Amino acid sequence: MAGGRGPGPGGPMRGAFLTEEEKASQPKVTPALLKRIFSYLLPYKKQLFLVLLCIAVSSFMSLMPSILTGKIIDEGLIRRDLRALIFYIVLSLAVTFLANLIGVAESYINTWMAQHITYDMRNQMYAHLQKMSQRFFTSNNQGDIVTRMTSDIDGVQMVITNTFTSILSNVITLIIAAIAMFQKNWILALVGIVIVPLFTLPTRSAGRARWSLTNESQAAHDEINGILNETLSVSGQLLVKLFGKEQKEYDRYKEINHRMIRLNIRESMAGRWFRVVLTTFTSIGPMLIYLTGGILMIRYGYDLTVGDITVLVALLGKMYMPVNSLLNIQVEWIRSMSLFSRIFNYFDIPVEIENAPDAVIPDTADGNVEFCHVSFAYEEPNRILKDISFRLDAGKSIAIVGPSGSGKSTIINLIPRLYDVSEGSVTFDGIDVRKLDLSFLRSQVGVVSQETYLFNGSIRENLLYAKPDATEEEMVEALKKANIYEFVQKQEKGIDTQVGNRGLKLSGGEKQRISIARILLKDPTIFIFDEATSALDSISEQKIQDAIDPIIRSRTSILIAHRLSTILAADEILVVRDGRIVERGQHKDLVQAGGVYQELYETQFSRAIVPQEEGVSELEQYIWGTQPADEP
Ligand code: ADP
């Protein structure tokens, strides 16, 4: 309500002073920043005007009772006029009630406005974040991103509902109170106004002292917790016992515990002294007015009534809170500005990958992909890919193999434009992917990544994510092809089985196969498989293999392969090392060439053959060409 709003975000103690961190990161307040903040208020200028009006009226009205006290005393009590007395009392109560009613309306409009402004801001931020590249999400802490979306924007709401209105109502209260005082008597008003700021001095110095004590005791508290966690844990105790450090740890604990109680005593006494000083100061003000008023009346025959002096004292009392909270405004102002500039900084991160202004949407898609002298760096100058060139014709498949960290996943990230090349070009059906409409491009590419990501929901919901209008038959078909239908059928709820958070209720192999079904429903032109390196049991692997194999043989696909069987299904093998294609060709030739591939074959791929006794001979035969494979 009017007549003194508390500080805004963070509560009174935390709110009173800036932390070192906050001091260091103070934003520059430029007209551009203010204009930008104001642009968020602009759509709600009607509401803004209403809020201002309500604040002005209710601030004024809440001072009325103080002014009416004069009438109650002079016209009611001193003149012994009962009717006047009752009239002013009723008027005073009515005005107070009305001021409160207006306050309710103000809160409502204000909250409504703040909620809508932050609603706009949140949506804008979410949409903006969605346009951010993969680079943004890998290089920013997820916690920071979420904080920006949640607490920072909540902070904005606080600024609008608290800080903003508190400044306004305090300023208005002070102005009205000052005018009313000057109207009664300028000398007394002057006396009052000179001493008001003095009230606030003890508040601030006591606040500062307490603030630093609070910080100190917080640090001591953390230290105590640290010691407890360290020494009272199972392994900590073991260490203490085995090294015979009981006495030493006890002394350490006792010392800090003692420091803590001294701090606590000082902290609570700082509060106590503060009250002594404050109450003394607060009563000095009225006394000075009584004294000066008395002298003016008695000695100099000024036309002052008892009521006038009482009004002045009452108004003075109303000024204390607003002045005090306006003194804290600077701190709140800086906090609010940093809040806004933090949010704006996020808004200003350029969108790295977006549609070209003249983006093309081809009518048909064949799915020819070509890498032309592609170089790429996540962070310049550290080139992860160097001069990569290859061609994937529609209907064919390529397997990319190479040691871990050689850049295989990076190559496939460039196809759906999760990143853009640093040099060279990636083309889709002869058109540079940077010239293609992004949503078209991404609809043409289906990726089954190593880290299968399922949303928390049912299997059905996860499938529909790929194709919202998929029919029951289509879904069953996809599940069958992905070799997971049997499993789904066995579930009590079938396709409506919940997969759990990130699909945690399913095994790795089941998740993979569901994500294969999801890609089959999406039915892209190009399939990309990033085969999981982590070993699944051989039955799961076989099931995945059976799901992927037909796709590789019949559709345009690129796979990062770790298992010989998948490699063999591809038309061409690219061997990548340190970001370069070092060998390419067919399995047989590559093994015979005796290079990197042969080394990989001996250390990694052949391992995959071992678990399946029967498969060995069959595969070996296929590999060495002694017997034609039963598939092309
Ligand atoms: P592979 O798939 O062959 O195991 P990657 O393509 O994942 O290799 O990684 C190639 C190199 O790029 C590695 O050295 C890796 O550390 C680096 N790298 C991968 N992702 C990022 C990223 N988001 N930011 C910076 N470096 C990355």
Side-chain angles (χ1 to χ4, degrees), residues 271 299 311 554 556 615:
R299 269 283 156 85
V311 169
S554 59
T556 318

Side-chain angles (χ1 to χ4, degrees), residues 343-401:
I343 293 175
F344 292 155
N345 278 346
Y346 250 47
F347 276 137
D348 290 343
I349 299 172
V351 177
E352 217 179 306
I353 292 181
E354 59 188 334
N355 258 349
D358 50 352
V360 190
I361 307 181
D363 298 331
T364 55
D366 300 324
N368 300 295
V369 173
E370 185 165 9
F371 275 61
C372 247
H373 303 290
V374 168
S375 293
F376 174 78
Y378 286 104
E379 274 153 59
E380 295 287 359
N382 187 11
R383 291 284 162 106
I384 300 291
L385 298 182
K386 298 150 206 153
D387 198 26
I388 298 273
S389 294
F390 69 90
R391 219 187 125 74
L392 168 66
D393 290 323
K396 299 280 180 192
S397 55
I398 283 181
I400 304 178
V401 301

Side-chain angles (χ1 to χ4, degrees), residues 340-486:
F340 277 109
S341 59
R342 265 208 307 276
I343 293 175
F344 292 155
N345 278 346
Y346 250 47
F347 276 137
D348 290 343
I349 299 172
V351 177
E352 217 179 306
I353 292 181
E354 59 188 334
N355 258 349
D358 50 352
V360 190
I361 307 181
D363 298 331
T364 55
D366 300 324
N368 300 295
V369 173
E370 185 165 9
F371 275 61
C372 247
H373 303 290
V374 168
S375 293
F376 174 78
Y378 286 104
E379 274 153 59
E380 295 287 359
N382 187 11
R383 291 284 162 106
I384 300 291
L385 298 182
K386 298 150 206 153
D387 198 26
I388 298 273
S389 294
F390 69 90
R391 219 187 125 74
L392 168 66
D393 290 323
K396 299 280 180 192
S397 55
I398 283 181
I400 304 178
V401 301
S404 158
S406 56
K408 303 181 294 293
S409 310
T410 309
I411 294 179
I412 58 169
N413 283 344
L414 299 179
I415 302 174
R417 264 191 95 192
L418 294 182
Y419 296 91
D420 274 341
V421 298
S422 310
E423 261 173 55
S425 67
V426 177
T427 58
F428 179 88
D429 285 345
I431 305 171
D432 192 314
V433 288
R434 285 166 294 187
K435 297 238 167 65
L436 278 174
D437 180 72
L438 252 190
S439 34
F440 167 80
L441 174 69
R442 290 184 180 159
S443 69
Q444 299 302 317
V445 182
V447 183
V448 177
S449 57
Q450 268 192 38
E451 309 227 339
T452 320
Y453 195 95
L454 298 180
F455 284 103
N456 191 1
S458 61
I459 296 175
R460 179 195 300 279
E461 282 162 341
N462 272 286
L463 291 180
L464 290 177
Y465 198 73
K467 189 178 181 194
D469 57 350
T471 62
E472 200 72 25
E473 291 76 47
E474 284 175 316
M475 283 191 272
V476 170
E477 176 76 18
L479 288 169
K480 275 185 184 157
K481 279 193 183 155
N483 228 347
I484 184 80
Y485 187 59
E486 224 174 288

